[in-house]
Amino acid sequence: MSERPDPSEQRQLHPLPRGLVELYGLIAVLVVLIPEWLADGTLNLGQAKGSASLPMRSRAWRTLPELRLAAMTLAELRQAASELRMYQYGSATRDQLTTRLLRRLRRRDAL
């Protein structure tokens, strides 16, 4: 049977050679960072021309309130609630506010 190592003994670790560490670093840059930079640059190409991040061109974006509300920030949702004269919207969560706004918009469109 093999003997168990004494826990008080220091275990000797063999460090990797410096060249191998630098090679791993280069591989990490090539595999992870460069594609990330390329993707970021590709996404930012269209933003140089206009202020909107994604154009809402389709008919669905103009007609479905669910899509419009999903694209809004919480501040924009609260602004819409204020314009629709809703009460107690300041403490509502995003989901609660979206549900209330959808209900109000559907009721307003039904009239």
Side-chain angles (χ1 to χ4, degrees), residues 11-96:
R11 187 173 163 175
Q12 199 66 348
L13 298 177
H14 300 288
L16 291 174
R18 181 174 171 88
L20 192 58
V21 172
E22 290 179 359
L23 177 67
Y24 288 160
L26 180 63
I27 290 172
V29 167
L30 292 175
V31 170
V32 176
L33 293 179
I34 291 177
E36 184 72 25
W37 292 333
L38 289 173
D40 187 45
T42 304
L43 289 174
N44 289 332
L45 283 177
Q47 291 182 354
K49 297 176 184 173
S51 61
S53 60
L54 291 174
M56 294 189 225
R57 298 181 188 156
S58 70
R59 175 192 254 178
W61 278 101
R62 293 188 302 267
T63 58
L64 294 174
E66 291 90 352
L67 292 177
R68 285 185 283 158
L69 293 177
M72 290 182 175
T73 63
L74 186 58
E76 291 170 334
L77 289 172
R78 288 183 175 154
Q79 179 66 31
S82 173
E83 290 171 3
L84 291 173
R85 295 186 178 150
M86 292 174 55
Y87 298 109
Q88 298 178 349
Y89 59 85
S91 62
T93 64
R94 181 180 181 86
D95 293 333
Q96 293 169 337

Side-chain angles (χ1 to χ4, degrees), residues 91-108:
S91 62
T93 64
R94 181 180 181 86
D95 293 333
Q96 293 169 337
L97 194 54
T98 303
T99 304
R100 289 181 62 197
L101 281 168
L102 282 173
R103 203 174 322 130
R104 175 68 63 98
L105 289 172
R106 286 185 184 132
R107 189 172 21 153
R108 189 181 74 176

